[in-house]
Structures are given as C-alpha cells and as structure tokens.
Amino acid sequence: MKNTRKNTSKNAEISTEKNISVALAQIRQRISAAERRFNRAPNSVQLLAVSKTKPVTAIQIAIEAGQCCFAENYLQEAVKKIMYFKNPQLIWHFIGSIQSNKTRDIAQLFQWAHTIDRIKIARRLNEQRPDHLPPLNICLQINISGENSKSGIAPDELIQLANDCSSLANIKIRGLMAMPAQDSDLERQRIPFRELKRLFTELQSTHPELDTLSMGTTNDLEAAIAEGATIVRIGTAIFGSRNY
Ligand SMILES: *Cc1c(COP(=O)(O)O)cnc(C)c1O
C-alpha cells in the first residue's frame, strides 16, 4: 500500500518500528535458509544484533521482537545503553577494538568480548572481571585477510595467545572471530572463512572446549554459515545503514 499520508513524526516512528521487526524476521529467515542450504543443523547459528550508533529506541524494538543478544563497538555509547536497559535478560557482546583503558568497563558490563588480540588485554580483563560474575567469554580475533589496517593477530600467533589465555580463570576462550576484506562474490567470500574454520579446528585439538566461530556480517553471512559460523554479527540488515 502506498503511503500518501503526511509523514508526521508519529508515522515515521511506526514505520521504523515495523521495519526493525520485519527486518529481524527476514534476517532470521536468511539464516535458516543458509543453514538448510549448507547442511548446517537448524538453529546452530546465533544472531548477534550489532546496534552500534543506533538509539535505545531501536534496540527496544528489537528486544520486543525477541532479540536478546546485542553487540557494540564504542565503549562509552555501549555503557550508556547497558545502564539504560539494566535488563539481566540481555546479553552484551563487545566487538570494537580494545585499548587498555577500556578493559574495566568491558570486564564489568559485558558477557562477551570478540576482539582479543593481545595477552596484555586478556590479563587485564581477567584481573578486572568481578568475582560475582561468571568468566568473561572471549574470542581471539584473527586478521584473516592480512590487511595492514585491521586489528587481530596473524594466524601463526594463535596457538601462543590461546595457550596464554587459557591459564586465566576469569576469562573463558570460546573461539575465534574475524572480519575479512569485503568481497561481493559468495565463493570468494568463503575462502577466508574456510581458513578461519581450519585454524579453529586445529586449535580444538589442544583446546577441545572451543565452540564459537564469530564470523559473517550483513554482506557475507551466507558464506560464513557455509563455512561453519556459529555467531553472525548483523547490523545494517536489522537497523539500516549507519551515519557516523
Ligand atoms: C559493524 C560491525 C558488524 C556489522 O556489520 P554490518 O555490515 O552492519 O552487518 C559486524 N562486526 C563488526 C566487528 C563490526 O564492527
């Protein structure tokens, strides 16, 4: 139906609300379709909603549509949102780059951090994790496409970092995370994800408790699911494009 009414702010709100819940339903369908197409078990891929730069009103709509896992990149912004909701049902994942001065808030407020690429950061998170909370779940970030501009360790540094982290009682290594170079072709997108999966399987031989491959975004989630993603991190397809 064509909307010929005046676009009052009330209407604009209603349409955003509808868009986010419709978009969430569509992305869940995209994930299920990829699970079927690539012979993955149903519901083996978790949807992480990347809400960076988006207002709490947008997050609220996603919560009402059944979403409970959210990811943020910018710490100050994330802290405000977490404090605003104060909702123990929500699970917050930190996916931005981590400097030393950010570790305390991450250790206190988040359940997951996906971007660990230095033992120094892991040690600080371990020390600062409050005793009354379960261990902080972490993923080790790999610079899988070898880009100069990207954070993450080189693949040959992985075993050392994993071994060093595994002695820290207040953090728990769950798996690997990567953000490969952009590519529009499914088969080419699959190559770095396949490599991440290979590193993951190799690491599982000495760390059998690992269960998480955090890979795939709006543009490449099918390729990531084809290669074994267990968490996809989706922003744009749920909340629309971002204005920085
Ligand atoms: C922003 C971001 C995403 C989400 O990307 P979209 O293309 O918006 O789905 C996923 N992972 C990381 C690390 C990000 O910074």
Side-chain angles (χ1 to χ4, degrees), residues 22 28 70 76 98 185:
V22 168
R28 288 181 189 131
F70 292 90
Q76 277 190 321
I98 308 181
D185 175 73

Side-chain angles (χ1 to χ4, degrees), residues 50 52 73 95 177 179 217-219 233-237 242:
V50 179
K52 64 178 172 213
N73 293 55
I95 61 170
M177 178 274 202
M179 184 103 171
T217 62
T218 294
N219 288 323
R233 308 180 309 268
I234 309 296
T236 308
R242 290 176 292 270

Side-chain angles (χ1 to χ4, degrees), residues 42-170:
N43 303 313
S44 54
V45 180
Q46 192 186 91
L47 172 59
L48 183 52
V50 179
S51 45
K52 64 178 172 213
T53 80
K54 299 297 176 182
V56 290
T57 49
I59 297 174
Q60 180 62 37
I61 295 162
I63 295 169
E64 282 161 18
Q67 182 65 27
C68 67
C69 300
F70 292 90
E72 291 281 337
N73 293 55
Y74 309 109
L75 190 61
Q76 277 190 321
E77 177 192 339
V79 169
K80 278 192 209 147
K81 290 173 179 174
I82 295 170
M83 297 304 211
Y84 173 86
F85 287 106
K86 278 212 163 61
N87 178 345
Q89 318 265 32
L90 300 183
I91 300 176
W92 294 95
H93 295 238
F94 193 77
I95 61 170
S97 65
I98 308 181
Q99 281 88 49
S100 294
N101 63 359
K102 297 186 190 170
T103 51
R104 186 171 299 279
D105 280 337
I106 294 171
Q108 291 180 346
L109 293 170
F110 285 79
Q111 285 94 325
W112 284 75
H114 291 228
T115 44
I116 308 305
D117 61 2
R118 282 181 289 158
I119 186 60
K120 181 183 168 197
I121 295 296
R123 288 207 181 100
R124 289 178 67 95
L125 292 169
N126 181 62
E127 278 159 24
Q128 294 168 341
R129 183 69 171 170
D131 288 334
H132 67 277
L133 294 178
L136 179 71
N137 298 293
I138 64 162
C139 293
L140 306 181
Q141 184 178 4
I142 313 281
N143 184 356
I144 199 70
S145 303
E147 294 167 283
N148 288 332
S149 58
K150 286 254 172 84
S151 37
I153 54 170
D156 65 4
E157 300 170 306
L158 176 57
I159 292 175
Q160 183 69 55
L161 182 59
N163 289 346
D164 291 346
C165 287
S166 58
S167 64
L168 304 172
N170 298 323

Side-chain angles (χ1 to χ4, degrees), residues 18-38:
K18 184 156 167 288
N19 289 347
I20 292 175
S21 55
V22 168
L24 261 173
Q26 285 170 345
I27 203 79
R28 288 181 189 131
Q29 281 176 3
R30 243 178 99 184
I31 292 171
S32 306
E35 285 171 342
R36 284 192 298 276
R37 176 175 168 197
F38 299 108

